[in-house]
């Protein structure tokens, strides 16, 4: 069961969010364009709906695997582990707890829960407290006094250098290796702001005894948050999403990370020289950045070593550890969450490339494709909002409401599935899921071109860039350029694929040029151009009129005789005007459905219809003018025609 003191939003916030959501839903439905589901909208729904279907089908697969693991596979594993735990324990336990400038109250609660767990577990334990301040020693001493200095717990203090968590962990691992851990000994690695819940050790470490191939495991998380309701739900949502993905990957006996908050390892693996070296000196060779060391992301390094060497990993969903969470700046939600996500995604991208290069063999196809999907999803996630902006700007402004409806529907369903597995639901999850996905995707693409730049806000250190300021500027400018080119290419593909902006053909350029020079003799040019566009567009395409005035005559009907019209709509701009001869005007009905009788404006919400070849093409965002009917010329006495006809 999850801890009862985990932080969630208040009822007032939830009720306010409910009221705002219902109001937004009413506005969206009321303003939804009448033709949103018409064939003309296919580009919008293909780009957003088809890509969304692909993304959410993959997410649904993850959800189904998660349910299968939690409801079918894990209960059997839990029963086996509990049976072994009742008769056997590991011979020795080592605990690595790293703390850096953590408040005294939090420190006390963390070590109080840890020592209580060690006493209940009853195994000879060496606790390595990697601390940064002498006051931490006083806190731990106070905790040991309260517990009567238990006989099975030995405490060793390791003072950090202040250059990051990696060096502190490496020092402790070397100290453990010098103690020559016996076969079957285990190591627990945890952060100094994590509180172990009752039964954490006994209910998690027993899994190592039932599976000799298990190299490491991690548990479920909850959060005790200092901050506003949005911050509380942001953390709980992330843990709900983590639970789903971790459970799904555990079906394959693999994970995508061994969380630094709390993970357990076989001690004989953690003291391997290669393991320690990777934790302390993990680095990557990049074609643009050269070789640079990783600042944070030790949990990705330990994960990669086990993955590369073929060890199994497991997620224990029914065991919780609680983190004391706080944003770097609790008054700036956006800036603080951006800093955190940028660090997390940087760790992910710096490690996933080399893991993908290992291929499916050491990890299985599903886990390998999950890594590949992390790289793809940061771009596919941007397709929906990009297309929505394009269609809103260039086709129909009210399509924005269709996209908002899509967001409410899809993220609402996703929130319900997460709530089903998490055991609770919050309406704040709907906007927060969208925020994590879209803003997270933008940050991932940003970091992917600059992942040498690293910063750890709590410890106030940064690394990854050259010492030469000129080289730093060159690297940053190249990152900006490559990022711009990549997103520009995606934007061009979406523009062409959706047809919101079509490249001008030779005839439209000629019309524009003639209009600019004031030389347009509209009849022949417009009729020819319109006929070519109506039959030459892609099937069910939209014909976009250029700006200015075009004259359309009955010659258009002659040119279309026997041709198959492919266009399904004619759309103009704010200044598009068609001057029609009477024979064409008779084929058009106005916004009210009546025959066209004079000048008319065919708006976006009240379009006209043009009957051609048995089809009724909508005319939107265009002004129509009808030329007066010309009387036939006759020879009348005293008239100018008579004078002209008798000349000579």
């Amino acid at each position: 069961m999850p801890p009862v003191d985990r932080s969630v939003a208040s009822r007032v916030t939830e009720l306010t969010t409910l009221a705002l959501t219902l109001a937004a839903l009413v506005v969206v439905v009321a303003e939804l364009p009448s033709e949103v589901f018409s064939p003309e909208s296919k580009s919008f729904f293909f780009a957003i709906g088809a890509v969304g279907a692909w993304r959410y089908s993959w997410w649904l697969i993850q959800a189904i695997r998660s349910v299968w693991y939690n409801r079918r596979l894990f209960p059997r594993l839990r029963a086996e582990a509990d049976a072994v735990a009742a008769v056997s324990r590991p011979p020795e336990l080592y605990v690595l707890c790293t703390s850096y400038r953590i408040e005294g109250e939090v420190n006390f609660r963390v070590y109080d829960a840890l020592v209580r767990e060690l006493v209940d577990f009853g195994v000879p334990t060496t606790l390595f407290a990697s601390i940064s301040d002498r006051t931490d020693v006083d806190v731990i001493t106070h905790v040991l006094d309260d517990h009567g200095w238990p006989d099975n717990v030995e405490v060793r203090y390791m003072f950090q250098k202040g250059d990051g968590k990696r060096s502190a962990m490496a020092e402790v691992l070397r100290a453990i290796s010098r103690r020559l851990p016996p076969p079957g000994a285990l190591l627990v690695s945890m952060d100094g702001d994590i509180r172990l819940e009752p039964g954490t050790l006994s209910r998690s470490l027993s899994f190592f005894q039932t599976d000799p191939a298990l190299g490491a495991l991690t548990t479920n998380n909850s959060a005790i948050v200092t901050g506003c309701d949005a911050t509380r739900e942001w953390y709980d949502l992330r843990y709900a999403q983590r639970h789903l993905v971790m459970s799904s990957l555990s079906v394959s006996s693999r994970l995508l990370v061994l969380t630094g908050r709390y993970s357990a390892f076989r001690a004989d693996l953690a003291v391997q020289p290669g393991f320690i070296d990777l934790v302390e000196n993990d680095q990557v060779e990049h074609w643009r950045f050269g070789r640079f060391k990783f600042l944070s992301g030790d949990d990705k390094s330990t994960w990669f070593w086990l993955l590369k060497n073929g060890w199994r990993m497991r997620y224990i969903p029914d065991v919780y550890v609680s983190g004391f969470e706080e944003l770097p700046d609790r008054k700036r939600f956006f800036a603080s969450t951006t800093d955190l996500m940028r660090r997390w995604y940087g760790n992910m991208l710096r490690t996933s490339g080399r893991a993908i290069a290992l291929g499916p063999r050491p990890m299985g196809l599903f886990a390998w494709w999950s890594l590949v999907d992390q790289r793809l999803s940061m771009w596919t996630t941007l397709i929906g909002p990009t297309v929505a902006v394009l269609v809103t700007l260039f086709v129909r402004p009210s399509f924005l409401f269709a996209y908002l409806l899509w967001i409410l529907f899809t993220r609402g369903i996703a929130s319900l599935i997460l709530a089903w597995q998490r055991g609770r639901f919050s309406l704040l999850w709907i906007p927060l899921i969208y925020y994590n996905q879209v803003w997270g995707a933008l940050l991932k693409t940003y970091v992917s071109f600059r992942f040498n730049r690293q910063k750890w806000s709590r410890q106030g250190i940064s690394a990854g860039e050259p010492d030469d300021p000129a080289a730093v500027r060159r690297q940053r400018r190249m990152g900006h350029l490559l990022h711009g080119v990549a997103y520009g290419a995606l934007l061009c593909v979406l523009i062409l694929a959706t047809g919101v902006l079509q490249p001008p053909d030779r005839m439209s350029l000629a019309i524009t040029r003639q209009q600019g020079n004031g030389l347009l003799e509209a009849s022949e040019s417009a009729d020819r151009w319109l006929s070519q566009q109506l039959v030459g567009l892609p099937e069910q395409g939209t014909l976009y009129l250029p700006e200015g005035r075009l004259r359309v005559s009955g010659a258009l009907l002659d040119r279309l005789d026997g041709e198959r019209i492919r266009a399904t709509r004619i759309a103009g701009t704010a200044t598009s005007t068609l001057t029609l001869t009477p024979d064409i005007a008779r084929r058009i009905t106005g916004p009210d459905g009546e025959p066209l009788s004079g000048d008319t404006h065919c708006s976006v919400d009240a379009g006209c219809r043009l009957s051609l070849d048995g089809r009724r093409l909508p005319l939107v965002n265009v002004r129509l003018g009808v030329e007066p009917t010309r009387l036939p010329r006759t020879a009348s006495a005293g008239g100018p025609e008579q004078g002209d006809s008798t000349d000579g």
Side-chain angles (χ1 to χ4, degrees):
M1 293 294 292
V4 296
D5 60 346
R6 64 177 174 179
S7 300
V8 297
S10 65
R11 289 187 177 181
V12 173
T13 299
E14 292 289 353
L15 291 174
T16 303
T17 306
L18 175 61
L20 292 175
T21 302
L22 292 176
L25 187 61
V26 170
V27 172
V28 166
V29 173
E31 297 296 330
L32 200 65
S34 58
E35 297 182 0
V36 69
F37 300 110
S38 66
E40 293 86 352
S41 308
K42 67 173 186 175
S43 62
F44 174 83
F45 285 102
F46 175 79
I48 294 181
V51 174
W54 169 38
R55 296 305 315 154
Y56 280 99
S57 63
W58 171 250
W59 189 82
L60 184 60
I61 291 173
Q62 295 270 25
I64 292 173
R65 286 170 57 95
S66 174
V67 173
W68 177 259
Y69 177 73
N70 288 304
R71 301 296 176 89
R72 294 292 183 181
L73 297 183
F74 184 75
R76 176 177 56 81
L77 298 173
R78 165 55 68 195
E80 294 174 357
D82 288 346
V84 171
V87 297
S88 176
R89 295 287 171 95
E92 197 166 343
L93 178 65
Y94 301 91
V95 178
L96 164 56
C97 184
T98 53
S99 306
Y100 189 84
R101 295 180 181 176
I102 295 177
E103 295 179 2
E105 180 184 355
V106 172
N107 243 344
F108 182 86
R109 296 175 67 181
V110 167
Y111 279 99
D112 180 63
L114 174 57
V115 172
R116 181 179 290 108
E117 274 296 291
L118 295 176
V119 172
D120 291 343
F121 196 49
V123 169
T125 303
T126 304
L127 168 58
F128 289 88
S130 182
I131 56 179
S132 59
D133 197 289
R134 184 69 190 181
T135 57
D136 296 336
V137 177
D138 298 334
V139 170
I140 298 173
T141 301
H142 187 187
V143 170
L144 292 173
D145 285 338
D146 288 351
H147 289 274
W149 292 84
D151 295 335
N152 70 312
V153 179
E154 176 189 356
V155 180
R156 302 289 299 273
Y157 298 106
M158 308 283 287
F159 283 89
Q160 300 181 27
K161 300 176 182 178
D163 58 353
K165 182 181 175 182
R166 286 179 175 273
S167 63
M169 291 182 63
E171 286 185 358
V172 172
L173 292 175
R174 290 192 182 95
I176 295 174
S177 68
R178 290 192 292 267
R179 298 175 72 96
L180 301 177
L186 301 177
L187 165 69
V188 169
S189 177
M190 57 181 286
D191 287 340
D193 56 357
I194 296 298
R195 185 189 70 188
L196 302 188
E197 300 300 329
T200 296
L201 297 179
S202 60
R203 288 174 55 78
S204 63
L205 300 184
S206 56
F207 285 86
F208 286 102
Q209 298 171 275
T210 62
D211 186 357
L214 182 64
L217 58 80
T218 190
T219 62
N220 210 331
N221 287 177
S222 66
I224 303 171
V225 181
T226 301
C228 65
D229 285 347
T231 303
R232 295 174 180 179
E233 292 300 344
W234 184 73
Y235 274 106
D236 203 55
L237 171 62
R238 291 194 63 85
Y239 290 155
Q241 293 172 316
R242 174 184 180 273
H243 171 71
L244 185 145
V245 175
M246 288 282 198
S247 299
S248 170
L249 285 160
S250 284
V251 175
S252 303
S253 298
R254 296 295 187 274
L255 301 175
L256 295 187
V257 67
L258 289 167
T259 311
R261 291 181 177 87
Y262 175 93
S263 292
F265 304 83
R266 293 189 181 275
D268 57 345
L269 300 180
V271 298
Q272 294 288 325
F275 186 95
I276 298 175
D277 182 67
L278 195 65
V279 169
E280 184 176 27
N281 300 307
D282 200 358
Q283 55 190 313
V284 69
E285 184 77 33
H286 190 268
W287 68 273
R288 189 158 63 88
F289 304 125
R291 178 174 295 177
F292 63 93
K293 291 181 62 175
F294 294 167
L295 175 62
S296 58
D298 53 275
D299 49 2
K300 284 289 189 179
S301 299
T302 57
W303 163 80
F304 179 71
W305 190 91
L306 292 171
L307 186 74
K308 181 178 63 175
N309 289 279
W311 287 92
R312 293 179 183 174
M313 308 169 206
R314 179 148 295 135
Y315 171 65
I316 313 302
D318 63 348
V319 176
Y320 286 81
V321 296
S322 300
F324 293 90
E325 306 287 2
E326 182 179 5
L327 295 178
D329 186 346
R330 69 179 68 173
K331 295 181 180 179
R332 302 172 63 201
F333 175 84
F334 177 75
S336 294
T337 55
T338 296
D339 288 343
L340 290 175
M341 287 192 289
R342 187 158 46 196
R343 176 163 64 88
W344 296 335
Y345 297 150
N347 295 335
M348 177 197 76
L349 292 168
R350 281 185 284 271
T351 310
S352 63
R354 62 186 181 184
I356 293 172
L358 294 175
R361 184 178 298 275
M363 68 190 83
L365 181 61
F366 186 86
W368 180 81
W369 180 253
S370 296
L371 292 170
V372 175
D373 183 72
Q374 287 182 336
R375 296 296 186 101
L376 296 176
S377 63
M378 64 184 180
W379 294 104
T380 55
T381 300
L382 298 178
I383 290 178
T386 302
V387 171
V389 170
L390 290 173
V391 174
T392 299
L393 290 178
F394 298 107
V395 177
R396 198 182 185 96
S398 50
F399 267 114
L400 176 63
F401 296 101
Y403 183 59
L404 291 175
L405 184 63
W406 167 261
I407 292 172
L408 290 174
F409 174 74
T410 54
R411 275 60 176 188
I413 295 297
S415 297
L416 290 174
I417 294 177
L418 289 172
W420 177 40
Q421 299 201 50
R422 186 65 173 172
R424 63 173 301 269
F425 173 75
S426 172
L427 281 168
L428 285 173
W429 287 5
I430 297 176
L432 287 174
I433 285 178
Y434 186 74
Y435 170 70
N436 285 343
Q437 289 176 337
V438 176
W439 185 239
L442 288 170
L443 288 176
K444 288 176 186 176
T445 61
Y446 179 87
V447 171
S448 65
F449 294 99
R450 306 164 182 86
F451 64 66
N452 63 319
R453 297 170 60 179
Q454 306 168 67
K455 183 179 180 182
W456 202 334
S457 56
R458 170 174 289 179
Q459 301 204 11
I461 52 179
S462 59
E465 294 190 296
D467 296 328
D468 182 11
V472 171
R473 287 194 295 271
R474 285 196 300 270
Q475 280 191 357
R476 293 188 176 186
R477 289 170 182 170
M478 180 59 70
H480 299 333
L481 175 63
L482 293 176
H483 191 189
V485 169
Y487 188 75
L490 175 66
L491 186 62
C492 288
V493 169
L494 294 178
I495 287 174
L496 296 176
T498 58
V500 295
L501 289 178
Q502 296 181 354
D505 56 82
R506 185 176 61 184
M507 192 62 63
S508 60
L509 287 174
I511 290 177
T512 304
R513 184 171 58 252
Q514 291 175 15
Q515 287 180 325
N517 295 333
L519 300 174
L520 180 60
E521 298 293 338
S523 177
E524 183 66 19
S525 297
D527 291 336
R528 181 189 299 119
W529 177 78
L530 283 172
S531 62
Q532 290 177 347
Q533 291 294 304
L534 288 169
V535 301
L537 285 175
E539 192 67 37
Q540 295 189 343
T542 298
L543 193 161
Y544 292 97
L545 299 174
E547 295 182 356
R549 182 180 297 273
L550 299 176
R551 181 173 181 272
V552 183
S553 70
L556 175 65
L557 305 177
D558 297 333
R559 292 182 177 279
L560 293 175
D561 187 28
E563 299 287 349
R564 182 171 177 268
I565 298 175
R566 296 177 178 270
T568 58
R569 191 177 72 153
I570 300 176
T573 65
T575 62
S576 296
T577 302
L578 294 180
T579 301
L580 310 171
T581 58
D583 47 355
I584 288 292
R586 285 193 294 268
R587 292 177 172 265
I588 296 179
T589 56
D592 55 0
E594 297 297 324
L596 192 65
S597 58
D599 293 351
T600 302
H601 179 222
C602 306
S603 65
V604 173
D605 297 318
C608 306
R609 299 279 177 172
L610 169 62
S611 297
L612 287 176
D613 191 27
R615 306 179 67 175
R616 291 172 55 81
L617 304 182
L619 293 167
V620 296
N621 204 22
V622 61
R623 296 183 180 277
L624 303 179
V626 182
E627 292 184 350
T629 303
R630 295 188 178 183
L631 297 176
R633 301 174 66 178
T634 57
S636 57
E641 293 83 358
Q642 182 183 23
D644 293 339
S645 64
T646 59
D647 185 32

